[in-house]
Amino acid sequence: MASISSRRLRKELTEITTQGCPVGIKLLNADNFETWLFSIEVLGETLYQGEVFKLMFRFDSQYPISSPAVQFVVDNEFQAPIHPHVYSNGHICASILGNEWSPVLSVSAVCVTLQSMLASCKVKERPQGNDQYVRYAPDNPKKTRFHYDGKHHRV
Amino acid sequence: MTQTSRPPSPPRLKTTGLPDDQPEDDHDVFMSEQPATFLSGHPILPEDMDIRDLMPSQLYEMNQNLLNESVPQKPLIDELASMSVLREEYEHGSASFLRQIDYLTKDGYDCVRRTRGDGDCFYRSVAYAFVERLLYSPDPTMAVGSALSQIESTLPMLTGARFDPFVYEDFMECFTTLIQSIVVPDREGLTLTPQSLLDAFQQPESSNSIVVYLRLLTSAQIRADPDAYAGFLHDPDNYMELQLETFCQHYVEAVGKEADHVQIAALSRALKINVKIAYLDGRDPQEVGKVDFHEFIFADDTTSSSLVLLYRPGHYDVLGRSSSRI
C-alpha cells in the first residue's frame, strides 16, 4: 500500500491539474512526491507588482502530518522577495510552516497564505539579522529553530 | 488569516551559555519543535528570551521536548504496566500523589498504559482504549458494526467543516480499517489481536494517522455547534478568549497540541462515547488520597461503559483494570 504521504500528494496533484492552481500560482514541476516547484506572483496593487518568484516544496514521508519544507528559490533567474519574514536565501519564517502547521493545510493553501503574506507587506525589507542567518542557515529550512514572536508573528 | 503587526524577532546565533554550561544569570532557551541544529553546530537561540517570560505551556512543552529527546526510545504507547511501577516513580516525591495512586489501585485501577508525551497523548489514549474495548467486547461483530456506523455518520460533519475530502479520507480509512480487522480477516487471514493492536499504535504512520483523524473529528464537532463551545475557547497560554476558527486551527487540528475540556467533550460527543478521566494531580486538601473523576457522558446506550484515562498535569495515559481483561 502506498504511504499516506504519496496517497495524499497524488490527490493534491490531481486537484491542482484538474481544477487549476489559485490565481497567480503556476505549477512548474511535480515529477515526484519529494519536490514540487511553483511560480508565484501577487496580483493587484502591492509592493511586489510585476515580480515573479519561484517556490519550492519538499515533502518527507511524514507529510501531511509534518509540514512541507517551503522556501523561495534563489538562483540565476529568481530572487527571494524582499520581505520582513523572508531571508535572502529564500527561507521563510512563518508559523504555519512550523508550530501552526496542520494536515488540514495543503500545498495550495500554503501558496495562498504566502501570497497574502506578500500582499499585506507595508515595507520591503529583510528580517533583522538576515546576513548572519544566511551565513549559517541549514539547507533545509525545517531544521531552523525559528522563533515565532507570539501573537505578533502568525502568518 | 492573522495579519502580522510587526516583523519577527530574528533568529540569532549563540555560542555561549548553552544548556550544558549555562551561567547563572543566563536563561536562554530553545523555542521550537524542531530538535535540530545548524550544520555549523551552532543552534539558533532567541537571545532576548528569558525563562521567566515563558508561558506555563511553553515551559511544559520545553520540558517535554527535553524529556523526549533524552528518552528517544519511549514508544508512542506502551505495554500495560502495573500501577506499582508508576508508584515507584513518585516514591521520593509528593506524598499526595502516592496517596492518590493508592486510592486508584484500591478502586481497582491497578494498571496503566502509558503514552508518549508528545501533545497527542489524549487522542492516542482515547483511540487505543476505543479499539481495545471493541476487541474485548462480548459481541465484537455487533460492537464493531455500531462503531463503524457511528464513524460513518460523522462524515457530513467533516464535509460541513469544509475540509477537503483528501484531508480526512486516508486518516479515517486508517482508523476504520483497524476497527474492521477485529472481525474481518486481512489479506493474510489475520484478525486483530491485542499484540497487533499495540503494534498498530506503536507504528508512527498508522498511530499518527488515527490521531489526526480524531483531531479533525473533534474540530468538525466544535465547528458544527459553535454555541455549545462559545465562551470556552481559550488560549491555553493566557486564557484569552479565541475565535472559533483560531482555536480549531491552532489548538485542535495542529498535531502536538494538548487537549483540554472542550476537545475532550467534543470528541466524546462525536464518537458517542463516555470518557472518564481520573485526575492524578496531587490536589488532595483532606489528605485522604481522594481522586476526582471528570466524566464526559455522550453514549446513547445507558449501559455503555466509559473509556478511562489517567490525567497528570499536561499528560494523559490509559487507565486499566487487570481483572476486566481476564
Side-chain angles (χ1 to χ4, degrees):
Chain A
M1 191 180 74
S3 69
I4 291 273
S5 160
S6 55
R7 280 160 77 187
R8 162 73 175 254
L9 285 167
R10 188 169 288 124
K11 288 175 189 176
E12 288 197 42
L13 191 57
T14 306
E15 196 184 80
I16 287 171
T17 47
T18 55
Q19 298 175 28
C21 288
V23 182
I25 312 285
K26 281 195 196 99
L27 177 64
L28 300 177
N29 187 308
D31 289 344
N32 56 48
F33 293 137
E34 278 151 32
T35 307
W36 290 4
L37 295 167
F38 293 85
S39 72
I40 173 169
E41 56 189 309
V42 194
L43 304 180
E45 278 183 38
T46 74
L47 296 179
Y48 304 94
Q49 211 157 9
E51 295 182 63
V52 182
F53 307 104
K54 189 173 176 182
L55 261 183
M56 176 165 73
F57 284 74
R58 282 183 283 179
F59 310 99
D60 61 27
S61 61
Q62 302 297 307
Y63 181 82
I65 293 175
S66 83
S67 63
V70 185
Q71 67 181 94
F72 289 100
V73 173
V74 178
D75 58 17
N76 294 337
E77 204 182 337
F78 292 94
Q79 289 301 308
I82 299 172
H83 184 283
H85 294 175
V86 182
Y87 293 89
S88 56
N89 64 352
H91 287 193
I92 306 161
C93 181
S95 53
I96 65 147
L97 299 175
N99 64 0
E100 277 165 15
W101 166 259
S102 102
V104 173
L105 296 166
S106 59
V107 172
S108 289
V110 169
C111 288
V112 171
T113 303
L114 293 179
Q115 261 181 329
S116 95
M117 177 188 91
L118 295 177
S120 64
C121 183
K122 304 275 191 292
V123 187
K124 270 187 163 184
E125 60 183 16
R126 288 287 178 215
Q128 246 185 314
N130 177 73
D131 294 351
Q132 199 178 14
Y133 173 72
V134 170
R135 198 174 313 141
Y136 295 106
D139 167 60
N140 186 329
K142 282 187 75 179
K143 290 193 175 150
T144 297
R145 295 163 178 260
F146 284 116
H147 168 55
Y148 309 111
D149 195 6
K151 304 289 161 272
H152 303 294
H153 192 228
R154 281 186 168 155
V155 285
Chain B
M1 199 168 316
T2 320
Q3 300 299 334
T4 53
S5 56
R6 70 180 173 88
S9 56
R12 288 182 219 154
L13 289 180
K14 184 164 175 60
T15 51
T16 58
L18 292 172
D20 282 336
D21 60 343
Q22 197 164 28
E24 275 170 24
D25 58 347
D26 192 346
H27 298 280
D28 286 328
V29 289
F30 289 66
M31 284 305 302
S32 161
E33 73 290 359
Q34 290 294 335
T37 54
F38 266 162
L39 295 179
S40 65
H42 297 145
I44 298 181
L45 291 167
E47 282 188 344
D48 50 353
M49 286 298 295
D50 186 299
I51 201 160
R52 283 160 296 198
D53 299 333
L54 292 180
M55 303 294 181
S57 64
Q58 292 175 311
L59 269 175
Y60 166 73
E61 190 183 345
M62 189 180 78
N63 283 332
Q64 200 70 66
N65 285 343
L66 287 172
L67 193 70
N68 287 337
E69 282 171 29
S70 62
V71 196
Q73 295 310 316
K74 205 169 177 190
L76 290 170
I77 189 156
D78 214 336
E79 307 262 1
L80 207 56
S82 161
M83 207 63 165
S84 59
V85 175
L86 192 67
R87 194 183 194 284
E88 278 166 27
E89 288 172 22
Y90 287 93
E91 224 129 65
H92 303 291
S94 151
S96 57
F97 275 89
L98 285 178
R99 279 193 296 270
Q100 287 187 318
I101 290 171
D102 294 339
Y103 177 95
L104 286 171
T105 312
K106 249 182 262 159
D107 206 16
Y109 295 107
D110 56 355
C111 44
V112 60
R113 187 181 293 280
R114 296 207 261 185
T115 59
R116 192 184 288 177
D118 55 6
D120 291 327
C121 51
F122 165 73
Y123 299 94
R124 211 181 308 277
S125 296
V126 163
Y128 192 95
F130 183 85
V131 182
E132 190 185 42
R133 189 173 58 167
L134 299 174
L135 184 62
Y136 286 107
S137 159
D139 184 351
T141 312
M142 167 90 169
V144 164
S146 93
L148 289 176
S149 72
Q150 178 54 33
I151 290 168
E152 197 74 22
S153 75
T154 61
L155 268 174
M157 206 160 69
L158 289 165
T159 42
R162 292 198 278 172
F163 295 141
D164 281 318
F166 69 66
V167 163
Y168 58 80
E169 54 194 17
D170 295 336
F171 299 126
M172 180 172 166
E173 191 188 318
C174 195
F175 194 44
T176 53
T177 306
L178 185 72
I179 292 170
Q180 190 89 53
S181 73
I182 295 172
V183 288
V184 180
D186 65 12
R187 266 174 275 170
E188 283 139 40
L190 301 173
T191 51
L192 197 71
T193 62
Q195 185 57 48
S196 59
L197 170 65
L198 182 62
D199 293 344
F201 272 90
Q202 287 186 338
Q203 201 266 333
E205 181 164 294
S206 49
S207 197
N208 293 334
S209 292
I210 291 168
V211 165
V212 169
Y213 168 66
L214 294 187
R215 286 185 172 279
L216 297 176
L217 192 56
T218 304
S219 175
Q221 179 67 66
I222 296 170
R223 290 164 185 274
D225 187 7
D227 293 347
Y229 305 98
F232 298 101
L233 309 179
H234 296 118
D235 186 323
D237 290 338
N238 54 23
Y239 296 97
M240 296 261 288
E241 195 160 345
L242 292 173
Q243 295 294 314
L244 179 118
E245 185 63 31
T246 312
F247 182 83
C248 286
Q249 273 181 16
H250 298 164
Y251 299 104
V252 187
E253 293 156 18
V255 293
K257 297 291 171 67
E258 200 51 80
D260 208 340
H261 268 68
V262 170
Q263 291 93 326
I264 300 169
L267 182 59
S268 310
R269 182 175 167 191
L271 289 174
K272 291 201 175 151
I273 53 173
N274 299 335
V275 174
K276 191 166 156 180
I277 298 177
Y279 272 62
L280 178 57
D281 53 7
R283 284 175 57 168
D284 177 25
Q286 269 97 55
E287 301 198 349
V288 290
K290 199 174 175 311
V291 173
D292 287 330
F293 283 89
H294 291 227
E295 294 194 72
F296 300 81
I297 308 292
F298 288 96
D300 288 338
D301 178 0
T302 50
T303 63
S304 176
S305 62
S306 298
L307 306 181
V308 189
L309 307 188
L310 175 68
Y311 175 81
R312 285 176 285 159
H315 188 68
Y316 297 88
D317 296 302
V318 185
L319 195 55
R321 299 173 189 267
S322 54
S323 58
S324 69
R325 286 190 178 76
I326 295 164

